Amino acid sequence: GAASAQAIRDAGGRAHFTRCNVAKAEDVERSVAEALAAFGRIDVLINAAQYFAAPRTIERTSLKDWELSHATGPLATLRFMQTCLPHMKERGGSIVNFTSGSALTGMKYTAAYSAAKGAITALSKVAANEWATHGIRVNVLCPFALTPVQERMIGTAYDNYTRTAACSPMRRGANPRDEIAPVVVFLASDASRFLTGTVVHADGGLNELSPVDYGD
């Protein structure tokens, strides 16, 4: 986080990094307060944090994994949205919440994670409906990207990226910096001012197109 903030400053921008455990209400409130102190206003909120439980069948899903998935996902998203709302009501703004294709397709062995992401999607649509009168847009981003964490897992027992990429029409995940970040910028900016309550797929067609191939 600190390195990212410094990179933004080096590029001529303004940035403030704060450490936050999104599962703790007091951390959420402090982070929003620090953002207000640093910049004087809040125009955009991006909720991307999420605990990912190790893949397990539903019957082997532990209460701990379920609670942690929901504490860091939909509950944290709700807290940030509620805390930022009073500061976004005056001039409007944009909220971008992250979901996952696993919540849309019922991916096996991801009950805790998928349920959390599904809840975020539903929450986002309700908020988009309620807050449109305040000029606040709420959209959902569904990405498929090769993150540094997934890169380290390739070839291990926890490698779900390789099999998922094989089912994708483009046969790969996105580069987060070049192919996901610009979509977030678009959703955060006035260029998407008439877009709200929408699930945007930046996944190379993974969740919208069939992987079945009958050949010639």
Side-chain angles (χ1 to χ4, degrees):
S4 296
Q6 189 57 50
I8 292 169
R9 295 188 199 102
D10 292 344
R14 295 173 61 199
H16 174 77
F17 168 68
T18 180
R19 185 171 181 147
C20 176
N21 180 344
V22 298
K24 295 183 177 180
E26 59 270 24
D27 274 23
V28 171
E29 292 169 4
R30 176 182 49 76
S31 295
V32 173
E34 286 190 24
L36 283 166
F39 301 105
R41 56 191 280 184
I42 293 177
D43 300 291
V44 178
L45 169 64
I46 313 292
N47 286 300
Q50 175 71 64
Y51 169 76
F52 183 76
R56 293 188 178 91
T57 58
I58 292 174
E59 59 265 34
R60 292 182 61 236
T61 297
S62 68
L63 183 60
K64 179 181 178 181
D65 275 347
W66 184 271
E67 290 178 341
L68 193 51
S69 295
H70 283 71
T72 59
L75 181 55
T77 298
L78 174 65
R79 282 174 172 156
F80 266 107
M81 289 169 66
Q82 287 178 328
T83 307
C84 288
L85 177 61
H87 310 289
M88 300 179 79
K89 273 185 174 181
E90 287 185 17
R91 56 178 66 89
S94 174
I95 297 173
V96 182
N97 297 328
F98 276 58
T99 190
S100 169
S102 65
L104 306 175
T105 61
M107 184 182 291
K108 292 179 179 179
Y109 318 127
T110 65
Y113 177 78
S114 293
K117 287 299 188 184
I120 289 172
T121 303
L123 170 64
S124 301
K125 287 180 175 288
V126 173
N129 223 348
E130 291 186 9
W131 296 353
T133 55
H134 302 303
I136 299 172
R137 300 179 296 104
V138 187
N139 289 293
V140 183
L141 180 61
C142 182
F144 173 51
L146 179 57
T147 66
V149 172
Q150 289 170 320
E151 209 162 7
R152 290 196 294 271
M153 290 182 180
I154 290 177
T156 73
Y158 296 100
D159 177 12
N160 65 346
Y161 170 80
T162 300
R163 283 175 290 180
T164 305
C167 297
S168 169
M170 292 190 176
R171 297 292 191 271
R172 67 174 181 85
N175 177 306
R177 183 189 64 190
D178 299 328
E179 296 169 319
I180 301 298
V183 181
V184 177
V185 171
F186 166 71
L187 291 173
S189 75
D190 286 341
S192 62
R193 59 184 171 273
F194 205 56
L195 195 67
T196 193
T198 300
V199 178
V200 177
H201 295 267
D203 59 5
L206 175 65
N207 294 297
E208 292 291 300
L209 302 176
S210 171
V212 176
D213 185 355
Y214 292 114
D216 294 334

